[in-house]
């Protein structure tokens, strides 16, 4: 199949969503041009910076839990492809003040979705966090796979993999409308 027979896409912005989109399309054989006005992962980018929290508890909303767990799988896949440590699974504990609140809903939904969580007794929470008052704590909800994504490095890894799969990264500082197209460059 000739290159012109493949669908093409212009993705503007090499943040996490743009770079992720470019990578997904490039993996599927699309001709992708990724436009970025600065260096991917730069400090001024909304998806740059050092880290972003990745957690799976979202109350009774199964859609968010499923989406977050799928994101974890994607970050782990990107780690394998890039050879970089991008997801740091530190774990996270939610402090439940009632037995049937948001945390209980989260535990139920995570269990249904197959996302590992564990209810901790107030005493177990106090063992982890000695300065926490446990007299009004119903339980703790432990998410062992929650953690942080190294945002800047993750965005750069997404862009690198998109390029490795055939995407073209272009400097967007000179991008301008040109009829039904976009002209990029001087």
């Amino acid at each position: 199949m000739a290159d012109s027979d493949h669908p093409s896409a212009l993705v503007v912005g090499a943040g996490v969503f743009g770079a992720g989109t470019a990578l997904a399309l490039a993996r599927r054989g699309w001709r992708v041009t990724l436009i970025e006005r600065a260096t991917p992962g730069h400090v001024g980018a909304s998806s740059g910076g050092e880290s972003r929290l990745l957690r799976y508890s979202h109350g009774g909303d199964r859609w968010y839990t499923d989406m977050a767990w799928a994101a974890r799988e994607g970050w782990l896949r990107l780690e394998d492809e890039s050879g970089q440590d991008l997801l740091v699974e530190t774990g996270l504990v939610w402090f439940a003040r009632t037995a049937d609140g948001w945390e209980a809903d989260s535990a139920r939904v995570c269990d249904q979705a197959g996302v590992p969580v564990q209810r901790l007794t107030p005493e177990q929470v106090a063992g982890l966090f000695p300065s926490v008052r446990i007299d009004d704590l119903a339980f703790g909800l432990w998410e062992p796979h929650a953690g942080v994504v190294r945002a800047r490095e993750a965005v750069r890894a997404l862009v690198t993999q998109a390029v490795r799969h055939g995407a073209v990264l272009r400097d967007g500082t000179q991008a301008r409308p040109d009829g039904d197209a976009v002209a990029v460059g001087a």
Side-chain angles (χ1 to χ4, degrees):
M1 181 181 282
D3 234 13
S4 61
D5 294 335
H6 290 281
S8 63
L10 175 67
V11 180
V12 178
V16 70
F17 290 110
T21 299
L23 176 54
L25 292 173
R27 281 179 176 154
R28 290 171 177 80
W30 284 55
R31 292 178 298 125
V32 179
T33 301
L34 178 59
I35 308 285
E36 175 56 51
R37 65 185 172 108
T39 304
H42 66 94
V43 295
S46 61
S47 52
E50 290 303 317
S51 63
R52 294 296 182 274
L53 177 67
L54 182 60
R55 63 185 175 88
Y56 313 103
S57 290
H58 291 278
D61 197 333
R62 171 75 185 258
W63 185 82
Y64 280 109
T65 296
D66 288 341
M67 184 177 61
W69 193 250
R72 176 185 180 268
E73 293 169 1
W75 291 123
L76 293 174
R77 177 179 177 191
L78 185 61
E79 280 188 340
D80 287 345
E81 290 178 356
S82 69
Q84 294 179 273
D85 292 325
L86 303 172
L87 175 61
V88 181
E89 293 183 323
T90 59
L92 177 136
V93 178
W94 297 95
F95 299 156
R97 301 293 179 195
T98 64
D100 60 353
W102 182 91
E103 297 84 1
D105 289 341
S106 294
R108 177 184 45 77
V109 169
C110 284
D111 284 341
Q112 291 170 352
V115 175
V117 293
Q118 179 184 355
R119 283 179 181 252
L120 303 177
T121 66
E123 293 74 26
Q124 288 172 311
V125 172
L128 294 171
F129 304 98
S131 64
V132 171
R133 281 188 32 224
I134 63 168
D135 56 332
D136 65 343
L137 189 64
F139 67 95
L141 181 60
W142 166 243
E143 288 189 47
H145 295 289
V148 294
V149 175
R150 292 185 167 134
R152 180 178 301 114
E153 296 309 315
V155 168
R156 290 177 179 162
L158 283 168
V159 171
T160 298
Q161 290 304 310
V163 169
R164 190 166 286 152
H165 282 82
V168 175
L169 176 62
R170 298 285 306 268
D171 177 352
T173 56
Q174 301 296 317
R176 65 190 180 287
D178 185 15
D180 291 340
V182 175
V184 179

